[in-house]
Amino acid sequence: MAPTHERLPDPKRFDPVRFPGTAGDEAWPPPRFDFEAAWLREQGLAFERDAAGGIGVVRPFAHLRMVVDLESAHQLFDIEPGTRDFRLLRLIPPALRCVDRIQPGDPVPAVLLDDDAELPEDHHLYAATSALVARLAATAGEEGLALADAMRRVPPGADMFEQAVAQCITQGGFSMATMAPLARRLQKLSNAHARVLQVAAAQPDYSAMERMLRRARDSLGADRRWAGDLLTRALDALLPQIGRPRQTAEWLLAQAGLAMRRESPIDSPTRLIREQEGYRDRLLDLGVFWRRLAAAWLAVDPDTTDRREIEALARNALRRLALVPLYRMEAGS
């Protein structure tokens, strides 16, 4: 898989994204969810994502939990569109793609601040290891089968491979010289796939961006003053294309999973590791170019946001969609 970095511009300098409603010198997102409204600072209040993908607001009294659409929650919570609390609320959905729970005062996830991604979390490591065990059971030789069988009997965690090797040596009679190098190579492969899963899970909320763009188009189209103006026409041209980042991310993740299941010798997984690293790099590129813009679209209120700010976001989206290498979907690319 050929790297895309050489054919892409520097994302930090590429058409900077400004969040609607921010002052000219205001850095956004801020480092913390420091709401100003008193009820949003209540002890025990939290935001979580439920199993269906909705956002749950957990209140401290009587364990009350309500599921709300945070794209319109400002109306329920009586928060003025465009204010700082409004923009902080709109950061909650993308933040909950990175963490399980957000409370007032919590730090904004590093990935939304364009910091380097953290090491894969345990659940991604476990998912990647499970995929590898299934692959070993289907295609590996005697040592690989023994290692897969041992890994099924050890508890999940970062030291799964070490425990499995110890079982193969003490209970299966395999030699350290045989099992240890095999385990090291396979652990590198498992970690490479876990990084793919981590980056895929932290992709921007493309679907929410698409919904907000459609709402903005519908709001402008419903106003006879703007029904046929240039911005409305630009949004009409943008709508059929805006799903491309989401579709590309889904395709890359699916290809990474298929590669882990493909029937081929796995005792020397160097090529497969490079393939997983290539998928991770492409997902990273995609996220870096779209994360800030996707979050900025969520800061739009279609009925009150200045048309010039919507126009700037639309221009940003069109420029990013013109970066052809980001969206290649050919096998082996």
Side-chain angles (χ1 to χ4, degrees):
M1 174 179 295
T4 61
H5 304 280
E6 299 170 359
R7 299 188 294 276
L8 291 171
D10 179 359
K12 302 287 186 183
R13 301 179 182 177
F14 182 80
D15 201 8
V17 176
R18 181 174 175 272
F19 279 69
T22 55
D25 58 349
E26 183 180 6
W28 198 266
R32 311 192 78 80
F33 286 100
D34 49 352
F35 294 99
E36 295 174 354
W39 79 267
L40 282 169
R41 299 198 307 268
E42 288 182 4
Q43 189 68 28
L45 182 136
F47 298 91
E48 299 174 353
R49 191 181 291 272
D50 69 5
I55 306 298
V57 182
V58 183
R59 299 299 298 273
F61 52 87
H63 306 289
L64 178 65
R65 176 188 179 93
M66 55 181 174
V67 179
V68 298
D69 171 15
L70 285 197
E71 293 169 21
S72 57
H74 61 284
Q75 299 169 345
L76 175 66
F77 299 149
D78 196 25
I79 293 175
E80 191 70 23
T83 61
R84 191 174 188 280
D85 279 351
F86 172 90
R87 287 181 279 126
L88 277 176
L89 269 178
R90 292 294 182 83
L91 282 178
I92 295 289
L96 285 175
R97 298 176 75 84
C98 309
V99 296
D100 295 329
R101 183 181 176 92
I102 292 171
Q103 293 181 281
D106 280 355
V108 172
V111 70
L112 292 181
L113 301 175
D114 292 331
D115 289 346
D116 291 335
E118 299 175 356
L119 293 173
E121 298 174 7
D122 284 347
H123 64 280
H124 293 307
L125 287 169
Y126 181 63
T129 304
S130 299
L132 181 59
V133 167
R135 169 77 177 272
L136 286 169
T139 63
E142 184 181 4
E143 293 84 0
L145 289 172
L147 186 62
D149 187 55
M151 290 182 70
R152 290 194 182 95
R153 297 199 298 269
V154 300
D159 60 346
M160 284 182 70
F161 281 89
E162 288 81 355
Q163 293 189 46
V165 168
Q167 283 196 19
C168 290
I169 294 170
T170 58
Q171 299 175 23
F174 291 91
S175 70
M176 172 72 80
T178 300
M179 297 304 298
L182 173 63
R184 280 196 298 270
R185 293 193 297 269
L186 295 180
Q187 187 170 27
K188 287 181 180 179
L189 173 57
S190 178
N191 288 343
H193 187 56
R195 292 188 183 96
V196 173
L197 300 179
Q198 173 100 341
V199 176
Q203 285 291 296
D205 197 340
Y206 298 119
S207 296
M209 175 179 67
E210 294 169 34
R211 289 196 302 273
M212 187 55 69
L213 201 151
R214 284 193 293 270
R215 287 180 57 190
R217 166 61 184 87
D218 291 344
S219 179
L220 289 173
D223 188 331
R224 285 183 295 178
R225 294 174 300 168
W226 312 116
D229 79 332
L230 290 177
L231 176 55
T232 308
R233 293 178 182 178
L235 292 176
D236 284 336
L238 186 54
L239 278 170
Q241 309 176 58
I242 196 62
R244 197 181 304 163
R246 171 181 51 79
Q247 294 161 2
T248 304
E250 291 170 351
W251 183 85
L252 289 167
L253 179 59
Q255 291 300 303
L258 286 173
M260 292 294 289
R261 297 191 296 271
R262 189 184 305 134
E263 290 190 12
S264 62
I266 200 171
D267 292 345
S268 181
T270 303
R271 184 191 61 79
L272 189 50
I273 291 171
R274 284 200 299 265
E275 193 173 354
Q276 294 295 317
E277 290 172 345
Y279 290 125
R280 173 182 177 270
D281 289 346
R282 288 201 55 196
L283 283 165
L284 273 175
D285 284 340
L286 198 63
V288 165
F289 275 99
W290 281 96
R291 182 170 293 110
R292 188 172 176 84
L293 181 58
W297 270 106
L298 291 191
V300 168
D301 180 66
D303 298 322
T304 63
T305 298
D306 192 299
R307 292 179 71 257
R308 289 170 296 183
E309 295 188 310
I310 296 178
E311 182 180 359
L313 294 180
R315 184 203 67 224
N316 269 270
L318 286 167
R319 289 203 67 198
R320 280 159 175 75
L321 288 168
L323 298 174
V324 175
L326 276 178
Y327 315 108
R328 292 193 327 273
M329 286 197 288
E330 302 93 14
S333 65

